[in-house]
Amino acid sequence: MERWLALLRINSTRQVLLGTAAITAIAVAAPVLTFAVVLGVWMKVPFHASLGILAICAVIPLLIAPPISFFALSILRLLTVTIERVDVYVRFDALTGVLTRAYLLGQIRDQLAKAGNGAFLMVDADHFKVINDTYGHDVGDEALKRLAEVLRTSVSIEALVGRLGGEEFGVFLPGADDAAAATAASALCEAMRRNAKVIAGHDIALTVSIGGASHTGSGKLEETIKLADAALYHAKRTGRDRFYIAGSTETMPALILRGRERGIAG
């Protein structure tokens, strides 16, 4: 079924022209060949005597097929382009280029149906309102773009990154446990400190706070997200520019635990 639907996708004017030529050729060839067989084989009409009929059989579809097929294929191309644009709009956030909230959550559910476990990180830009109020919303937009770029480039290729709304982003790490989530969150905090010092020519030094929670097949995704949200609130309340993984004290790597004790993370 998908193969047939793929054949109906017309993306360019070149495809429209080629399709028009192919349809016209078939429309002309079909009646000409049919009447040629009927006249020559069955009715034994000499070839020179049947030329007039064959010419009519060729001219009529030659006049009708091109405009109709061109119009129909042009409409199909317009539908294809529109569907692709809507698909991009549904899947990707227009400002940052990461996944939209709805598509992110849908993809996470698909991943969980296959693997059954993973970790969800909720990432929030620190003091974002101050950035908007001080430098303007255009600089705030650039800050969100930088944040999204850092998220995309600092996690594994299998990870899913999406914008949950405003300055909040979500990252899903398939198959990750608390320790892996803590390692990823620590790397993200460090990457933001390193790559978001200057944004749009301003010394902003953007940082993020991260809350995370691991998910097992026994629970609902919404419950995991609530745990990550609570962990994010804890990270914000304890100073920002840090992460906290719900219920992960005993499973965090020792290096991260030491960093947490120094007030660097957690």
Side-chain angles (χ1 to χ4, degrees):
M1 184 64 179
E2 292 183 1
R3 288 185 177 180
W4 288 109
L5 290 176
L7 292 176
L8 296 176
R9 298 177 73 88
I10 307 296
N11 299 297
S12 64
T13 303
R14 182 174 180 272
Q15 287 179 294
V16 172
L17 295 176
L18 290 175
T20 300
I23 293 172
T24 301
I26 294 172
V28 171
V32 169
L33 292 176
T34 299
F35 274 88
V37 171
V38 170
L39 295 174
V41 178
W42 289 357
M43 300 180 65
K44 307 297 182 182
V45 176
F47 179 74
H48 68 275
S50 62
L51 285 178
I53 297 176
L54 295 179
I56 294 174
C57 292
V59 169
I60 293 176
L62 191 61
L63 294 175
I64 297 175
I68 293 178
S69 59
F70 182 82
F71 177 76
L73 292 175
S74 296
I75 294 296
L76 192 57
R77 175 179 175 270
L78 180 61
L79 289 174
T80 299
V81 172
T82 301
I83 290 172
E84 289 179 347
R85 288 178 179 174
V86 171
D87 185 58
V88 170
Y89 180 79
V90 169
R91 292 188 181 197
F92 300 101
D93 178 64
L95 176 64
T96 63
V98 298
L99 301 179
T100 61
R101 178 189 179 93
Y103 192 71
L104 171 67
L105 297 181
Q107 289 295 101
I108 293 175
R109 290 189 175 91
D110 290 343
Q111 289 280 351
L112 291 175
K114 298 175 184 178
N117 67 313
F120 183 82
L121 302 179
M122 186 171 288
V123 184
D124 187 86
D126 293 329
H127 304 295
F128 187 72
K129 185 177 184 301
V130 175
I131 295 175
N132 276 335
D133 292 344
T134 304
Y135 303 103
H137 288 276
D138 54 338
V139 176
D141 288 346
E142 292 302 316
L144 292 177
K145 292 178 184 178
R146 180 70 59 83
L147 198 165
E149 180 184 357
V150 171
L151 292 181
R152 283 197 303 263
T153 57
S154 302
V155 295
S156 64
I157 191 172
E158 298 85 6
L160 300 172
V161 180
R163 186 180 180 190
L164 301 177
E167 66 272 21
E168 281 192 347
F169 292 77
V171 178
F172 180 72
L173 307 168
D177 56 12
D178 286 344
T183 301
S186 178
L188 287 176
C189 286
E190 174 58 30
M192 285 303 301
R193 298 185 196 109
R194 187 173 60 252
N195 297 298
K197 294 179 180 179
V198 178
I199 298 175
H202 300 282
D203 295 326
I204 292 177
L206 178 66
T207 61
V208 294
S209 298
I210 302 175
S214 58
H215 180 94
T216 60
S218 58
K220 294 183 178 180
L221 175 60
E222 288 76 13
E223 295 172 351
T224 302
I225 293 175
K226 286 182 179 179
L227 286 174
D229 191 31
L232 173 63
Y233 175 76
H234 181 79
K236 289 282 189 182
R237 187 180 57 186
T238 54
R240 295 182 172 85
D241 187 19
R242 61 191 63 203
F243 69 90
Y244 185 80
I245 308 298
S248 67
T249 302
E250 296 180 359
T251 59
M252 279 190 182
L255 178 62
I256 297 176
L257 282 174
R258 290 196 297 272
R260 192 195 230 176
E261 292 168 358
R262 294 196 303 268
I264 296 175

